[in-house]
Amino acid sequence: MRVLVIEDDAKVAGAVRSGLAGEGYEAVIARTGEDGYFRATTEPFDVILLDLGLPGRSGLEILAGLRARGLTVPVLVLTARDTVEDRVAGLDSGADDYLVKPFAFAELLARIRALVRRGRPDVALRVRLADLELDPVARTVRRGDTPIDLTVREFELLAYLLRHQGQIVSREMLARDVWKEPSRGTPLDNVIDVHITHLRKKVDQPFSPRLIHTIRGVGFLVKEGDQ
Ligand code: CA
């Protein structure tokens, strides 16, 4: 089991990591909000432990960002603050549970186990937008009740766009991250456009609302409704 620990306090992070290692869990430590957010959106985790007071991006901002992207991985908030307002704000932002520092490791472990039992990791990794759902483990895509057949490349392309939903994705980003060809002599623009056209025919044209938008001269934007 992989646990992402987003915590700037080296002592707390180190203690949590060695405690989890003793249980056979792999803990990945992120010391800043930016690093934590990046890892949470690019790597699969079974559960995330999230400190609220972080340098840069705050824990609540990270949480809201993950949930806005449709990531449903269980999040356990760790905080030194113990006010009702903070708890409510954390739970409102999509936290699954809450633990106030200092805590006993046995308590942390019990909470993690409960969260993992509740949210199976394959469910936690699913990405959604409107009625579109992509499951990276089963490698299936559906809109509502309709399964959609995609080629391997179309699937990777859609997964990338969905993980960047609400952000403009350029053709350079797609060449680098989906095609893994950042420095090709001939740009991949035409290849990318053909794949986007095919993807649209399968994912967007038979359905409503439209989800894949072209931003002329810039790239693509995946979001619900008109740009
Ligand atoms: Ca902190």
Side-chain angles (χ1 to χ4, degrees):
M1 190 167 76
R2 293 186 88 219
V3 180
L4 175 61
V5 183
I6 309 177
E7 166 65 83
D8 60 313
D9 184 324
K11 239 170 104 181
V12 175
V16 167
R17 171 157 55 190
S18 53
L20 289 175
E23 298 295 319
Y25 297 169
E26 182 194 350
V28 175
I29 311 281
R31 299 283 298 277
T32 65
E34 279 71 25
D35 186 33
Y37 187 76
F38 178 74
R39 284 174 179 275
T41 51
T42 52
E43 297 175 35
F45 292 99
D46 299 286
V47 63
I48 296 176
L49 308 186
L50 177 64
D51 179 32
L52 283 193
L54 291 166
R57 204 185 286 224
S58 83
L60 285 182
E61 284 174 295
I62 292 173
L63 189 51
L66 295 180
R67 295 310 187 220
R69 280 188 178 200
L71 289 169
T72 56
V73 54
V75 174
L76 172 59
V77 164
L78 307 175
T79 181
R81 306 172 200 169
D82 183 21
T83 66
V84 173
E85 291 75 23
D86 281 337
R87 282 179 197 232
V88 170
L91 295 170
D92 275 352
S93 305
D96 297 276
D97 202 357
Y98 211 95
L99 198 55
V100 175
K101 290 191 266 189
F103 48 81
F105 184 73
E107 176 67 19
L108 176 68
L109 207 53
R111 302 283 188 100
I112 290 175
R113 288 197 175 119
L115 283 181
V116 172
R117 270 199 304 274
R118 248 196 277 162
R120 298 198 335 274
D122 58 334
V123 173
L125 277 169
R126 281 183 201 169
V127 190
R128 288 189 189 83
L129 176 64
D131 61 346
L132 174 67
E133 184 178 287
L134 177 142
D135 184 333
V137 177
R139 296 193 72 87
T140 54
V141 175
R142 54 177 60 243
R143 273 198 80 161
D145 293 330
T146 312
I148 298 171
D149 267 335
L150 298 181
T151 65
V152 172
R153 186 73 84 186
E154 288 163 359
F155 184 90
E156 298 299 336
L157 178 58
L158 181 62
Y160 187 84
L161 291 171
L162 281 173
R163 294 207 187 279
H164 292 80
Q165 59 185 260
Q167 290 170 249
I168 293 176
V169 171
S170 67
R171 292 178 178 81
E172 290 74 27
M173 288 165 72
L174 294 174
R176 183 188 67 211
D177 298 331
V178 178
W179 270 264
K180 316 283 187 206
E181 294 199 38
S183 51
R184 223 169 91 129
T186 320
L188 286 169
D189 292 10
N190 289 340
V191 175
I192 291 170
D193 287 352
V194 166
H195 278 82
I196 291 279
T197 302
H198 288 166
L199 195 56
R200 258 202 192 112
K201 273 195 187 130
K202 294 178 178 179
V203 169
D204 256 357
Q205 279 177 8
F207 303 97
S208 173
R210 277 182 61 207
L211 301 175
I212 304 171
H213 306 275
T214 301
I215 310 296
R216 198 181 282 268
V218 185
F220 307 97
L221 174 65
V222 165
K223 69 188 268 280
E224 199 172 342
D226 297 327
Q227 341 164 354

